[in-house]
Amino acid sequence: MQEATLILIKPDGLKKSLTGNILTRLSETKLEIAAAKMVRVSEHLAREHYKHLMDQPFFPELIKYLQGDLHDRKKVMALVYWGEDSIKKCRQLAGATNPEEAESTSIRGAYGRITTQGLYENVIHVSSDTSEAEREIKLWFSPEEIIFDMYPFKEALIRETKKLVWV
Ligand code: UDP
Ligand code: MG
């Protein structure tokens, strides 16, 4: 099935200068990049992204991690990959959630670690199923940032919305 996957290169991946390596590994899949950008992650965005893990003991540390507070890099790289079985292909390349259990040839196996607090710093996020991918892609991207029409959208006139513009 043709499907979309959200990929995040997490702050540890950026700090360790792994962007090129990770994108090269992902290019082995021959999937299409449908969107890409650098994002300053607000606390709200981090909490929304990981809201299914809210009750976990590691949640506060995980939010700090995604926001870049643990790596002095307050940014992540967000991408949407599109194509046949994209979720399965990208998760396979990423490897298991726990970097110690991930195959050593996988991205997480090669570059991840467990912190002394017990958090898995595993370099990359990959959506785990199509409904999670849709929720996450709509959270991280607006329709005009994706190069083709992946999900239905509409035009809306939004008044009184604060937006940054160039001076
Ligand atoms: N995580 C962790 N400890 C755990 C489970 C998860 O530190 O026991 C972190 C890890 O960074 C992981 C993220 O929380 O990537 C999201 O967890 P999820 O279960 O969704 O794993 P993923 O889909 O990223 O493999
Ligand atoms: Mg997950």
Side-chain angles (χ1 to χ4, degrees):
M1 188 178 60
Q2 298 274 328
E3 61 188 13
T5 308
L6 179 82
I7 301 276
L8 302 176
I9 302 180
K10 294 179 176 181
D12 51 329
L14 296 175
K15 182 155 190 178
K16 292 173 177 171
S17 301
L18 294 173
T19 311
N21 300 41
I22 292 171
L23 295 180
T24 301
R25 293 299 307 276
L26 288 167
S27 70
E28 290 167 21
T29 62
K30 308 283 183 220
L31 296 165
E32 184 178 347
I33 298 175
K37 64 177 176 180
M38 302 302 298
V39 185
R40 270 192 279 193
V41 184
S42 66
E43 188 182 339
H44 176 75
L45 176 58
R47 295 179 77 92
E48 270 301 302
H49 179 77
Y50 279 134
K51 68 179 182 186
H52 60 293
L53 297 171
M54 207 148 64
D55 299 331
Q56 297 296 322
F58 56 83
F59 185 71
E61 198 68 7
L62 180 61
I63 296 311
K64 281 199 225 156
Y65 168 37
L66 193 64
Q67 281 194 265
D69 290 350
L70 310 181
H71 295 93
D72 195 25
R73 288 281 193 292
K74 296 192 75 70
K75 61 187 172 188
V76 305
M77 187 173 195
L79 303 106
V80 177
Y81 278 80
W82 171 263
E84 194 68 26
D85 293 330
S86 64
I87 294 174
K88 197 172 119 203
K89 286 176 182 160
C90 293
R91 283 194 74 92
Q92 194 150 9
L93 271 180
T97 306
N98 178 342
E100 298 292 324
E101 287 171 6
E103 270 190 60
S104 57
T105 52
S106 69
I107 294 168
R108 287 167 163 180
Y111 304 123
R113 68 170 198 137
I114 304 180
T115 68
T116 44
Q117 275 78 30
L119 183 79
Y120 303 162
E121 279 184 7
N122 52 14
V123 178
I124 184 175
H125 166 81
V126 184
S127 310
S128 61
D129 59 57
T130 49
S131 64
E132 185 179 274
E134 180 172 351
R135 186 188 79 82
E136 292 175 350
I137 289 166
K138 289 177 175 176
L139 179 65
W140 287 82
F141 289 92
S142 60
E144 61 265 68
E145 291 175 319
I146 302 177
I147 47 109
F148 59 91
D149 302 345
M150 202 166 274
Y151 306 114
F153 58 85
K154 62 182 182 185
E155 277 186 320
L157 256 183
I158 301 183
R159 285 168 205 274
E160 315 246 332
T161 306
K162 226 194 263 178
K163 226 184 145 192
L164 296 183
V165 292
W166 305 117
V167 290

